[in-house]
Amino acid sequence: MVDSYHMTPEEFRVRGHEVIDWLADYMETVADADIIPDVDPGDIRDRIPAAAPETPESFEQIMSDLDEVVRPGLVHWQSPGWFAYFPANTSPPSILGDLVSSGLGQQGMLWSTSPACTEIENAVVDWMVELLGLPSGWKTAGPGGGVIQMSASDSTHTALVVARHQRTAQGGVDQMVAYTSAQAHSSVEKGARMAGIPHIRLISVDDRYAMRPQALAVAVAEDLAAGRQPIFVASTVGTTGTTAVDPIEAVGAIAREHGLWHHVDAAYAGSAMICPEFRIHQPGLDTVDSYTTNPHKWMFTNFDCNLFYVADRSQLVETMSILPPYLRSQRSEEGNVIDYRDWHVPLGRRFRALKLWFVLRSYGAEGIRHHIREHVHLAKELEERLGADDRFDLIAPVPFGLVTFRHSAGNEATDALALAINASGHSYVTPSKLGETSFIRVSVGQTNTGRKHVDRLWRVIDRAA
Ligand code: PLP
């Protein structure tokens, strides 16, 4: 029996350096690794003992299993040849900010349980209002405000719950209806289900895959005539399939006419708004009720880091606040502080703002703009190459960093092309479908993706086609 099984601060210092070295090696080598691991289900689990160790193992053993057990089962989302889904980027400053957050172990549920956690988050979400050109009333000093949540799905779910709660007084939940486009992310439908909103209508889209406001107006009118209660609509800026942009102003006018909560999901494309030239894609935000975007996709900040803004925080706090005696605090009762526990489902909350703070300060706004513009530029170049080649058809416009295309010979050729690209090992794309039509999504946005990686992708497309 030993006195203590804890790792001492001295040992932590040494092991910490080893872990950072291991990660730096990973960063230096990930570009050369095959993106998809050569494993079958159960292969990784088979390398792990059935039971946890009864006695301490050496740190060398643990580190060696990073190479032997963990690495062989990784999908390399951080490869610059990653063009699949949307990016889920990390960056060194973000990793270090996250490490500090872990090391400090703060619980920022109330201002008084960690003033630093709360006030740095206040500052960072306020900075982001300026950086993304969002309405100034969404700053902490205004009637609105922002909070860092886990995911866009959580934020959309939260918005649906607030909308339901705020409208419940007008009648039962049974007849409530939420609306979004047929191209919206599944998180809207899932959020409605979790919020107990029984009806969700997926509104048809135009030839650019954006919601048709006229179809929304007709759907709302039909529901009202049938005695249902329209309460919520979500517009998307940058849909998952094709980065289509819904007409926020036109949807907003319908929302205002009928008292619907209007939520904007800019999960991926919101990061682009740090460059003013992309803000033409989200006019009219000053009339929406809530907004969500993910620095954990395209802003070099590792998962999880989602920004959720509301135009009027009193509705959010009123919906979420329940005060048991053990959470009472004098500062809260004085009313001059933000208690973020009232801004989402979890009570406990970690110091997520640190990693975004590290990123914003290390890159500077100009550094982030530089990389985002570079990604969009590379996507546009790829779009031009594909558009100029009659072996390919483009599927949708390219407002941001996502290129969508298909083989002009049809579905089979398109599916085979996607398989061939992904079999290259160095580049990875998402095969997708719009109805019965196969297409390929190429999302240019990984932290380290540059021209040579897009050129390498083009060469494999060209050869395989
Ligand atoms: N909304 C859109 C438009 C998305 O593209 C995605 C994910 O790609 C999400 C929501 C879900 O994001 P999260 O994983 O943060 O819930």
Side-chain angles (χ1 to χ4, degrees), residues 206-431:
D206 62 20
D207 57 359
R208 297 164 76 92
Y209 306 105
M211 193 193 314
R212 294 172 52 235
Q214 190 52 35
L216 172 67
V218 168
V220 170
E222 282 170 3
D223 285 323
L224 286 170
R228 286 188 282 269
Q229 190 190 359
I231 64 156
F232 178 98
V233 60
S235 300
T236 309
V237 176
T239 58
T240 315
T242 63
T243 59
V245 176
D246 290 339
I248 295 175
E249 285 173 309
V251 172
I254 297 164
R256 280 197 305 287
E257 185 184 342
H258 298 287
L260 275 64
W261 184 282
H262 188 193
H263 175 66
V264 173
D265 175 0
Y268 156 76
S271 293
M273 305 306 161
I274 195 166
C275 309
E277 66 270 26
F278 295 112
R279 294 181 197 157
I280 51 165
H281 297 298
Q282 54 177 39
L285 282 186
D286 46 341
T287 66
V288 311
D289 296 291
S290 55
Y291 181 90
T292 188
T293 185
N294 286 152
H296 69 221
K297 286 188 166 64
W298 201 11
M299 207 175 269
F300 318 116
T301 308
N302 53 283
F303 194 89
D304 50 351
C305 185
N306 174 82
L307 298 173
F308 178 56
Y309 289 97
V310 285
D312 174 0
R313 67 173 176 263
S314 66
Q315 296 177 330
L316 171 66
V317 172
E318 197 263 323
T319 303
M320 295 283 171
S321 186
I322 292 175
L323 187 60
Y326 48 83
L327 289 176
R328 285 190 185 281
S329 123
Q330 190 192 330
R331 294 295 193 182
S332 304
E333 271 154 35
E334 287 165 8
N336 300 323
V337 296
I338 298 260
D339 291 328
Y340 276 128
R341 73 177 186 99
D342 295 329
W343 293 55
H344 48 44
V345 173
L347 170 63
R349 62 196 321 273
R350 53 199 210 86
F351 204 160
R352 288 196 191 95
L354 270 182
K355 59 189 169 190
L356 187 52
W357 200 49
F358 272 44
V359 167
L360 294 174
R361 299 178 65 191
S362 298
Y363 280 82
E366 67 174 29
I368 297 172
R369 281 188 206 109
H370 167 84
H371 289 293
I372 286 190
R373 286 186 175 129
E374 176 70 2
H375 289 151
V376 176
H377 181 69
L378 292 170
K380 290 296 226 186
E381 279 185 359
L382 180 64
E383 179 196 23
E384 273 167 34
R385 275 176 164 170
L386 290 161
D389 192 321
D390 57 16
R391 290 172 298 171
F392 308 112
D393 297 326
L394 293 163
I395 294 287
V398 181
F400 308 108
L402 181 78
V403 185
T404 51
F405 73 103
R406 69 195 306 263
H407 199 296
S408 49
N411 281 355
E412 229 173 278
T414 304
D415 296 342
L417 178 57
L419 280 177
I421 298 166
N422 291 347
S424 73
H426 57 67
S427 299
Y428 199 67
V429 297
T430 313

Side-chain angles (χ1 to χ4, degrees), residues 85-86 150-156 183-188 236-241 265-269 292 294 296-297 303 305-306 441:
Y85 307 107
F86 284 134
M150 181 167 66
S151 71
S153 305
D154 287 280
S155 295
T156 299
Q183 286 293 309
H185 189 263
S186 54
S187 54
V188 183
T236 309
V237 176
T239 58
T240 315
D265 175 0
Y268 156 76
T292 188
N294 286 152
H296 69 221
K297 286 188 166 64
F303 194 89
C305 185
N306 174 82
R441 290 172 77 266

